[in-house]
Amino acid sequence: MTAPAGTPVGLKGLERVDDAGPMRRLLRLSRPVSGRLILACVLGAMAIGSSIGLLAVSAWLISRASQQPPILTLEVAIVAVRAFGLGRAVFRYAERLVSHDAAFRTLTDLRVAIYSRLADNGPVALRPYRRGDLLSRSVSDVDAVQDLSLRVLVPTLSGFLVGAASVALAVWLLPAAGAVLAAALIVGGVIVPWLVVRVASASAKRLAPVKGQLSAEVVDVLSGTADLLSNSAGGRALERLAGTEANLTAAEDRNAGAAGIAAGLGTLAQGAAVVGAILIAVPAVRAGELSGVNLAVVVLLPLAAYEAVLGMPTAALAYLNVSAAARRIFALTDAPTAVHESPDPQPIPAAPPAGPRVTTAGLSAKYPDGEQDAVSGVDLDLRPGTTTALVGRSGSGKSTVAATLERFLDYSGSAELDGGELRDLDSDEVRTVIGASLQDGHVFDSTIGENLRLARREATDEELFAALDAAHLGDWVRALPQGLETRVGVHGAALSGGQRQRLGLARALLADFRVLILDEPTEHLDAPTADALMADLRGATTGRATLLITHREEDAGIADEVVVLDEGVVVERRGNVQDPTA
């Protein structure tokens, strides 16, 4: 797949390239900051190199000073100690600054790309994911990706640079000592990380999915607390949570165990390198192969040089975690697209004076993960000033028709907006004309005014109250002490079912959709409240082409035409719509 011209950098990085693995795709996302990453590696190498230089020069200075030479012969070493001491802090600070800047830039691109992809795919493509798991993938897993540069690339590349330089210095002083140091660095930088990967690979692969599962279960429990308690199911839900948490703890314990083994083996290798250097260097001094002044340098060099590979096991663990997180992210972004945009979208046709009209002929649609059409051969004619009721039991395909008209789902057959085929138009522009008030429209834990302004940010208070009045909610809001600034609670907990539905309707009216889809407006309402809401809907939707989706025959009483669906097929039509534009 090739990203279209003008695609944001991050979005291009999400596209598949042949059979590239998740880590290779993440590296593609890091290309724009590759210069910063290289600079961070160099600065990191200079920071570690300064630490090694500080210890090596200090060892030489102390040994040489014990011979009481003229002070002038020590001046260069004294200045070098000061320079290395300052440089270690300065270079480390600069490396952190540059590497974090690169990581955050990549993270920003990735977040924007993921949210853009999710928005393009729409709600239909997200159906297989639970809310908590989706949250974990788009937040926690994305955050984990920043470790690719901070804890994998920069420490690893810096470590190999400094390790090679340290071995070269040791070989120059005493070849045998260089061989010992090289062996120690290979153990700490290659063998120990390999063991960590072997031990922690399985648990690291489980870690991110289990975190997503725990997040999903926590969100489910918190959002359904009232239902769980009223059905005495709270205990079972908590037991399920405890089981998932135990699985997460077990995976983290295995990772921690692997990290502990790595630390122990690393310390052992470091100590062995120092002991090996002593055993080689002392006879070399006696044999005249190494000056006594350099003895301390050769012995202490492994102690300092091992810092170059000290973070390799941690980098190996971070690599496993990043890889697992990347798989979950790309599984989300690679989900089958529910709607494909036209490569050359046409402008929205000009609406007639009476308002836009939507017609469908032989409309069929199926979900990306479905094998059969969810709806087939649906003919509708949504005219301005009329209401069409789409009636059927749950699962008959009513919401599928709504998703198709809003361009959240591809279709076959014909669906036209004032003569323009919907698939040939820009989906975002279509949604400025065709919009919905959903049965489960989300109410944010904010104020009434802010919930309404989701439809139109620049709306004035007068416009908000006009929409509320049309939904027959204005008098109630005016009577509240804080009016539009009244907070509605989590998921609108401070509102009744009817008030939540009317608030959603007011939001749709404020958006001024000329073709309005009302999806189960009386769902979860008692009969008197449902009847009252339906009595108000006809007046609230005056002048619009309205599609009323419901499974209650009583709600269809306000409609000019009733279309009955069963298993995705129209089985009955009732009523007669007169064209008000005729």
Side-chain angles (χ1 to χ4, degrees):
M1 180 184 293
T2 304
T7 303
V9 170
L11 195 55
K12 289 180 181 178
L14 290 182
E15 302 295 343
R16 284 184 179 274
V17 177
D18 299 327
D19 294 324
M23 297 304 290
R24 184 177 170 187
R25 294 172 70 179
L26 283 182
L27 289 174
R28 290 181 65 232
L29 282 169
S30 300
R31 285 180 183 174
V33 295
S34 57
R36 288 180 171 83
L37 289 177
I38 292 173
L39 178 58
C41 291
V42 172
L43 291 170
M46 294 177 72
I48 301 173
S50 295
S51 296
I52 297 172
L54 178 62
L55 186 59
V57 174
S58 296
W60 183 91
L61 180 61
I62 292 173
S63 298
R64 186 72 179 92
S66 66
Q67 298 175 342
Q68 298 182 350
I71 191 66
L72 289 178
T73 62
L74 304 177
E75 285 295 332
V76 174
I78 293 172
V79 172
V81 167
R82 291 174 179 172
F84 285 134
L86 293 173
R88 179 174 59 174
V90 171
F91 291 137
R92 180 59 68 196
Y93 176 81
E95 179 268 319
R96 290 286 189 265
L97 192 65
V98 174
S99 62
H100 279 74
D101 177 64
F104 291 150
R105 287 173 184 268
T106 301
L107 205 59
T108 299
D109 282 347
L110 181 59
R111 282 200 178 109
V112 171
I114 288 175
Y115 295 152
S116 297
R117 177 61 54 81
L118 295 181
D120 289 342
N121 281 357
V124 171
L126 304 180
R127 289 195 318 154
Y129 299 98
R130 297 163 69 182
R131 286 184 297 171
D133 183 45
L134 186 61
L135 180 67
S136 178
R137 290 172 188 259
S138 57
V139 178
S140 300
D141 289 340
V142 172
D143 285 342
V145 165
Q146 65 182 313
D147 287 344
L148 177 62
S149 57
L150 296 179
R151 297 187 179 182
V152 179
L153 294 178
V154 172
T156 300
L157 295 178
S158 298
F160 279 120
L161 286 174
V162 175
S166 300
V167 170
L169 175 61
V171 168
W172 177 67
L173 293 173
L174 184 63
V180 170
L181 179 58
L185 294 179
I186 289 173
V187 169
V190 177
I191 296 177
V192 173
W194 178 80
L195 290 174
V196 167
V197 170
R198 295 282 293 180
V199 172
S201 178
S203 60
K205 289 179 180 178
R206 292 199 309 269
L207 198 58
V210 173
K211 284 182 177 179
Q213 182 182 353
L214 182 62
S215 176
E217 291 179 359
V218 168
V219 170
D220 289 345
V221 169
L222 292 177
S223 60
T225 299
D227 292 331
L228 290 171
L229 294 178
S230 63
N231 290 280
S232 301
R236 293 195 299 273
L238 292 178
E239 288 176 5
R240 199 161 49 246
L241 269 178
T244 304
E245 185 180 12
N247 292 336
L248 178 61
T249 301
E252 289 180 335
D253 285 346
R254 191 169 181 84
N255 274 5
I261 292 173
L265 291 175
T267 302
L268 183 63
Q270 185 181 30
V274 173
V275 172
I278 293 174
L279 295 177
I280 291 173
V282 171
V285 172
R286 290 174 179 172
E289 298 175 0
L290 180 69
S291 67
V293 173
N294 289 332
L295 174 62
V297 177
V298 171
V299 171
L300 294 179
L301 185 60
L303 196 64
Y306 204 81
E307 182 183 348
V309 297
L310 200 58
M312 297 294 188
T314 303
L317 279 175
Y319 176 86
L320 292 175
N321 293 333
V322 170
S323 181
R327 288 190 188 94
R328 284 167 47 81
I329 291 172
F330 291 125
L332 179 64
T333 60
D334 292 343
T337 301
V339 59
H340 295 81
E341 295 290 339
S342 169
D344 184 24
Q346 302 300 309
I348 296 288
R357 175 179 179 179
V358 174
T359 58
T360 70
L363 179 72
S364 301
K366 68 178 180 180
Y367 291 96
D369 55 351
E371 296 181 358
Q372 297 181 343
D373 288 340
V375 294
S376 178
V378 177
D379 298 338
L380 295 173
D381 191 358
L382 310 182
R383 304 182 184 216
T386 66
T387 298
T388 301
L390 196 58
V391 181
R393 57 186 175 81
S394 297
S396 60
K398 305 185 302 296
S399 295
T400 302
V401 173
T404 304
L405 294 181
E406 286 192 274
R407 290 297 289 139
F408 289 133
L409 188 62
D410 277 335
Y411 64 91
S412 59
S414 176
E416 295 184 350
L417 172 63
D418 292 324
E421 192 67 46
L422 292 183
R423 66 168 66 92
D424 296 332
L425 308 177
D426 183 87
S427 295
D428 288 335
E429 292 187 13
V430 168
R431 295 182 200 116
T432 64
V433 179
I434 304 175
S437 176
L438 303 176
Q439 60 170 310
D440 56 353
H442 190 74
V443 178
F444 290 88
D445 185 12
S446 184
T447 65
I448 293 174
E450 286 302 308
N451 271 282
L452 286 173
R453 286 193 173 93
L454 287 173
R456 187 147 51 93
R457 294 302 305 171
E458 70 279 5
T460 63
D461 287 355
E462 290 75 15
E463 290 172 324
L464 298 186
F465 275 112
L468 290 169
D469 287 335
H472 289 260
L473 205 60
D475 291 340
W476 174 74
V477 174
R478 290 186 182 92
L480 294 172
Q482 293 181 295
L484 292 171
E485 298 304 313
T486 302
R487 299 194 68 86
V488 298
V490 178
H491 299 297
L495 306 177
S496 68
Q499 289 167 340
R500 282 195 297 272
Q501 295 287 34
R502 290 173 186 271
L503 183 61
L505 174 61
R507 189 158 58 193
L509 295 175
L510 182 65
D512 198 26
F513 298 125
R514 303 311 300 166
V515 179
L516 181 60
I517 301 171
L518 302 175
D519 189 1
E520 301 284 6
T522 60
E523 185 73 7
H524 309 308
L525 301 184
D526 58 81
T529 303
D531 292 340
L533 179 60
M534 293 308 301
D536 295 333
L537 280 178
R538 188 66 187 236
T541 58
T542 299
R544 292 174 169 82
T546 305
L547 178 64
L548 172 62
I549 295 175
T550 181
H551 65 275
R552 295 177 75 242
E553 287 285 349
E554 298 89 337
D555 295 349
I558 70 168
D560 300 283
E561 182 184 28
V562 178
V563 179
V564 182
L565 276 181
D566 187 24
E567 296 185 356
V569 179
V570 176
V571 295
E572 184 183 354
R573 291 179 182 272
R574 300 195 303 268
N576 180 37
V577 178
Q578 299 297 324
D579 188 350
T581 64

